[in-house]
Amino acid sequence: MIAHGGGHPNTVALPTRMLILMRRLASVRAPREACGVIFGDGHRRQFERLAELTNVASSDRTFSFDPEEQLQLWHEEARRGRIPLALWHSHPRSPPVPSATDELCMSMHPSLVHLILHDRQIRAYRWKGRRVISQDLVLLPGSIRVD
């Protein structure tokens, strides 16, 4: 479940297995940032599928999705009835606090949750009214489908 987890509008509920997968991907991609998207049902607002996207950024301190890969994935998931609910990326060298580049990304995708992880820490954010708002993050037991 994403927004309104536990009945509170500032709570993001993340399946624990998604966090484990993000940590694994971040570890493999380091020192570059790992990045991706989480899709789910738009009505129930539940996280259902975590996908990694290729980071094509020229720097190891930022991320940028491969545009063709992103478009193809968005179309595939739309055919399955899923929409993007969250964007995620790792910060291999810095705390999970949004950089100026991250804030720009958030402003371009204000309806999505933005997850940033560093080592054992993960934080959730949203863009609201021209600024970044921190979200409470709750970990849920459960499994995910990994393709």
Side-chain angles (χ1 to χ4, degrees):
M1 181 179 285
I2 121 168
H4 313 298
H8 193 274
N10 291 328
T11 300
V12 175
L14 177 70
T16 300
R17 291 192 178 217
M18 284 191 183
L19 175 57
I20 292 167
L21 179 57
M22 282 188 283
R23 283 182 177 152
R24 186 178 317 136
L25 293 168
S27 176
V28 168
R29 301 293 174 238
R32 295 183 56 78
E33 292 188 3
C35 58
V37 62
I38 300 174
F39 293 91
D41 180 291
H43 299 290
R44 293 178 311 185
R45 308 289 296 167
Q46 286 186 312
F47 289 156
E48 295 175 354
R49 179 172 183 251
L50 182 138
E52 180 185 31
L53 287 167
T54 304
N55 181 356
V56 296
S58 57
S59 166
D60 62 357
R61 294 191 177 268
T62 189
F63 75 95
S64 181
F65 296 149
D66 177 305
E68 289 181 25
E69 183 183 36
Q70 180 183 1
L71 187 59
Q72 180 181 356
L73 182 61
W74 253 247
H75 286 304
E76 288 172 8
E77 292 302 313
R79 284 194 297 273
R80 294 180 174 116
R82 291 192 286 249
I83 62 169
L85 296 175
L87 300 180
W88 66 271
H89 73 282
S90 63
H91 279 185
R93 295 185 174 133
S94 61
V97 176
S99 66
T101 303
D102 295 338
E103 288 188 18
L104 178 60
C105 177
M106 290 177 192
S107 73
M108 293 186 298
H109 302 281
S111 66
L112 302 181
V113 171
H114 299 265
L115 300 168
I116 304 174
L117 65 142
H118 170 76
D119 289 335
R120 308 287 310 158
Q121 301 174 13
I122 184 166
R123 296 218 177 108
Y125 302 93
R126 281 190 182 274
W127 183 262
K128 187 173 181 181
R130 300 182 161 223
R131 65 185 184 113
V132 174
I133 304 294
S134 182
Q135 304 286 280
D136 295 330
L137 187 65
V138 175
L139 294 178
L140 299 174
S143 61
I144 61 166
R145 192 181 110 223
V146 180
D147 294 332

